[in-house]
């Protein structure tokens, strides 16, 4: 049988954990603005884009970008990162279309180099 002190301590701990779980990060981000995940994806893309000359380098870059972009709520970032990955597996022309669309999504969200 649990003592009243144990029950009270358990209730206090549960209340404290609940309070820690609610924060401003639970509020949805503005999808028109660059969130942290989008900024990291755009930064990685901009840093490594020119060096991605081979198909394997393009695939590696697309994977790196998608690591961040998948969790972004910024308009166009996650979807265009997926298109970037599809283009990396396809032709150079498909890669360019995906790269242009991803870069534009970054710029539209307010990303600056």
């Amino acid at each position: 049988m649990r003592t009243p002190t144990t029950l009270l301590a358990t209730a206090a701990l549960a209340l404290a954990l609940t309070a820690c779980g609610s924060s401003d990060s639970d509020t949805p981000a503005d999808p028109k603005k660059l969130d942290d995940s989008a900024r990291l994806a755009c930064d990685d893309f901009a840093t490594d884009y020119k060096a991605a000359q081979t198909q394997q380098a393009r695939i590696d870059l697309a994977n790196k970008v998608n690591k961040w972009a998948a969790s972004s709520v910024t308009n166009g970032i996650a979807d265009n990162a997926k298109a970037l990955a599809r283009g990396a597996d396809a032709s150079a022309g498909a890669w360019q279309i995906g790269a242009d669309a991803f870069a534009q999504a970054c710029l539209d969200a307010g990303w600056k180099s």
Side-chain angles (χ1 to χ4, degrees), residues 13-77:
L13 179 61
L15 182 61
L17 290 174
T18 302
C20 289
S22 59
S23 68
D24 290 335
S25 65
D26 293 340
T27 306
D30 182 350
K32 295 177 201 154
K33 294 183 180 174
L34 202 65
D35 61 20
D36 288 341
S37 296
R39 183 184 48 78
L40 291 167
C42 294
D43 286 348
D44 283 347
F45 177 77
T47 299
D48 296 337
Y49 172 72
K50 287 189 181 206
Q53 297 298 312
T54 66
Q55 184 174 27
Q56 186 59 53
R58 292 190 295 261
I59 291 168
D60 291 344
L61 177 54
N63 288 336
K64 187 176 182 181
V65 166
N66 272 282
K67 179 179 88 175
W68 300 114
S71 61
S72 175
V73 297
T74 302
N75 289 340
I77 296 297

Side-chain angles (χ1 to χ4, degrees), residues 82 98 102 104:
K82 288 177 192 171
F102 184 77
Q104 190 62 54

